[in-house]
Structures are given as structure tokens and as C-alpha cells.
Amino acid sequence: MANSKRRHWTFVGAAAAAVVLAAGIATAVSGGDPGEPKAFGHPPPAAVATDTSGATTTPGAGPGSDPGSAPDTAAGTGPAASGTKTSPTSSPADLKWGLDYSDTLTFDTPDQLNTALDDAKRLGMDYIRVDFGWEDYQSFANYPPDFSKFDNVVAGANARGLKVLATIDFPPPWARRAACKDTAACPPADNAVFANFVKQAVARYSARGVHYWEVWNEPNITAWAPLPDPADYTKLLVTVSAAIRAADPHAFILMGGLAADHPSPGAPFIAPYDFITAVAKAGGLKAVDGIGYHPYPDGDPATSSTFLAISQSPKSIITALNQAGAPNMPIWITETGANIPALIFGPPDQVKPQEAQQVQQAKREVDVLSSYPNVASFFWFSYQDSPPDRLFFGLRRGDGTYRPVFDTLQQIIADAKKAP
């Protein structure tokens, strides 16, 4: 079994992205009231959005699903059972809230796990999002999977009323393709073998209340090695989704959270519109209930290209869904956040100001995302910094101390849940 935490494949770890974000945060928060950043513009709430294709979007859920409803914890019931549609998102009160832990919880000590999940509960989160890498549970082909480490995560989440969104990815070395066997981001050599592993996992955890699954993480960049390939990804998506539904007919399945921008200058990247369009043409959109998306802003969220790409740009996610005949499919923001670039580049005296700016950025991200049609969730990346990966987005710093943004998110969520 794997004995160390694995890199979380998110484009925002790139140095270039950190520079852009630093500039964007500084611009966004300048001149604003710390309690209410009035300097920002704000896109109007939209019950119906018209895109440049001429199609009209009515926000709602994916086929046979209700992403706004929490699944029952008993097997045989779940989010796909109701068949109802969501209302258009127009305020934070409509969002489902989640916290990203990458691949950390599986390897935490009991005390660390309890603390991490207690924090999610304190924050008012509805979900935790965790990597569920195949390599963590089946290191050898001739041994059955050992799910004991994840059992503890699920039991802890259930005890606190937290739902689990598991991102299934990362085959063990023995199951990877020869062309990329040295990286965890390598697709499986045989999709059917991967699907068999997934089916075993879903059968085990659907009986324990886990009904939410995301198929891969950021497959539109090189987190799908060696190069992103929507047709290739679709083959895996269709095969794995069928396995999930065979084990849990009421599972809620997300297309792997798409990166919003290039991971670094010149790096391979397929824009979300193009990736979704290609997956839809290959028949993959019929296999899922929603789209995962990771719109880390490149400045003020109201004008950030990564946010506008949801529904406000000519080639938006909404445009792609309209053209694919799925205008009501929900968009789950399964990652977003704000880095502290001074911890990468310095100077040290900018760390505290940037942490204050991170607070304002969190408010703006919630405000803007909740105004867009089809957006169903807000997941903050991440719970704690990962200094080796240059990821300083955490609600906790690398030393475990809390950042101011922890209290900010707690208040945002509390206020949202009090709203009528």
C-alpha cells in the first residue's frame, strides 16, 4: 500500500499562476471596505441565461438527479432517486458547501483525522472532497483491495453528518499504461480493470452512505498523462460510470473537475468548453450527472476569465452544455481558493497582508459564483497548506495554525444557511 501523501494535481500550484493570483488579489481588494468590498462589480443573478449560440439556458440538475438534495445514508436511496430539478442559483443560500483535503485524510493519524473533520463540521460544510486513488488501496494485482484506511474517513464523516465526494483516479504502477507508468496521473492500461476496482469500492461505500463520485481530477491538463485527450477520457468515463451505477443506481457522478487555465506557460491545456464539447460528441455527457470545474480566479472574480468561462464568455461551459442538449446540467465548483504567493516568492512581510486579501477574495468568490446559473456547490481548496507542492491555499497554515479565512468562511456559510 502507498505510505505517503500524493501530490494533488491542481494547476494553481504553478509559479506563474501564483504570480497572476497575487496581482489579481491585490487589485481586487484595493480601496474596498474590509467588511464589504464595494469596489467590485457584480454580475446580475440570472434565472435564465442566453449564450452566444442562441440557445437558452434554464439552470437545473443533470439527468435523473437532484444535486441540491442530500442523499439518504441507506443503500437504495440517494441523489439520483428524486428526479427533481434545481432552482437557479442566485445567492449563497442555494450553494452546497465543501472542503478539499486532497489525499491527506487517508494517511492521517486518528487524532489528525478527528481534528480535520471537526473543523469541517465547525465550518458548516456539507461535504468533504477527498482523492480516492486506486494506488492507495491495491498495490499488487494479485491481492484484493484493502479499503481499511478509507473506512476510517467515511466513518468519521458519517459521525459528523458530512457527505463524502470521492475523486477516483491514479492507478497503481502495475495497472498504468507503459507510456506513462512513472506518474500517478497515468490512465489505466485497461479501463475494465479500473472499473472493476471502482465497482468494488462503490458497492462497499454506498452501503455506508457514500453516493458522490468524481471521475478523475483535471483531465484537461497533464493530470491526464502524457497529454489531455477528451476522447480517451470519455472511454474511461463511460466504462467507470457504468460500473458505479451497477453498484449504486442512485450514485451522483461528476465529470472530473476541469482546470480553468493552463497549468504553466505553454503547458498542454484543453479549454473547458472544448473539452466538454468533445466529451459530449463522444457520448460521455450521458454518463454523468454534473460537471466539475476549478475556477481559481486570475484577478477580481467578477471579471476573471476563469469565472466568466462558466456562463459569461462566448465559449462558456453553459454554451457547451446548451449545444450538447444538456442545459440543466449542474456545475459543481469542486475547487477554488486563493494562494499566498509571498510564501513562495517572498517577501515575508507580505504574508499577513496577503492573508487579509485572501479573506476578501473568499467573499468575492462566493458572491460571484452564487450569482451564476447552474452553479450548485462551492468547495474551498484547501484545508491545510502543502509546502512541498508550493500550495498555500489552506485554512490552516503548514504549522497547523488557523488563517483568518477560516473564520470568514465559517461566517459566510452560517449566514447563507440562515437565509430564507
Side-chain angles (χ1 to χ4, degrees), residues 134 170-194 216 219 221-240:
W134 184 7
F170 297 159
W174 63 265
R176 299 172 189 164
R177 297 177 186 177
C180 52
K181 64 181 179 179
D182 293 332
T183 173
C186 187
D190 188 332
N191 289 341
V193 176
F194 185 33
W216 216 263
I221 59 174
T222 51
W224 182 273
L227 294 171
D229 184 336
D232 193 26
Y233 170 74
T234 299
K235 293 176 183 177
L236 178 137
L237 179 65
V238 170
T239 302
V240 169

Side-chain angles (χ1 to χ4, degrees), residues 131-182:
D131 286 348
F132 191 82
W134 184 7
E135 68 175 2
D136 292 342
Y137 306 101
Q138 192 177 16
S139 295
F140 303 100
N142 55 341
Y143 284 86
D146 178 2
F147 295 114
S148 56
K149 295 191 298 293
F150 200 66
D151 288 349
N152 298 330
V153 175
V154 171
N158 285 341
R160 294 163 177 83
L162 298 166
K163 292 180 279 291
V164 177
L165 170 61
T167 303
I168 45 180
D169 51 19
F170 297 159
W174 63 265
R176 299 172 189 164
R177 297 177 186 177
C180 52
K181 64 181 179 179
D182 293 332

Side-chain angles (χ1 to χ4, degrees), residues 24 38 143 145 166 215 224 259 271 274 297 368 407:
K38 302 184 186 341
Y143 284 86
V215 182
W224 182 273
D274 295 319
V368 174
D407 290 337

Side-chain angles (χ1 to χ4, degrees), residues 307-360:
F307 277 46
L308 296 176
I310 295 172
S311 63
Q312 308 295 317
S313 64
K315 288 191 172 183
S316 69
I317 293 174
I318 293 293
T319 302
L321 294 176
N322 280 333
Q323 293 172 346
N328 297 327
M329 183 165 283
I331 300 166
W332 280 51
I333 307 303
T334 53
E335 286 184 26
T336 191
N339 207 358
I340 308 297
L343 289 170
I344 304 173
F345 306 108
D349 63 2
Q350 288 302 303
V351 171
K352 285 190 176 181
Q354 288 180 8
E355 289 186 340
Q357 292 163 1
Q358 184 186 49
V359 165
Q360 300 303 322

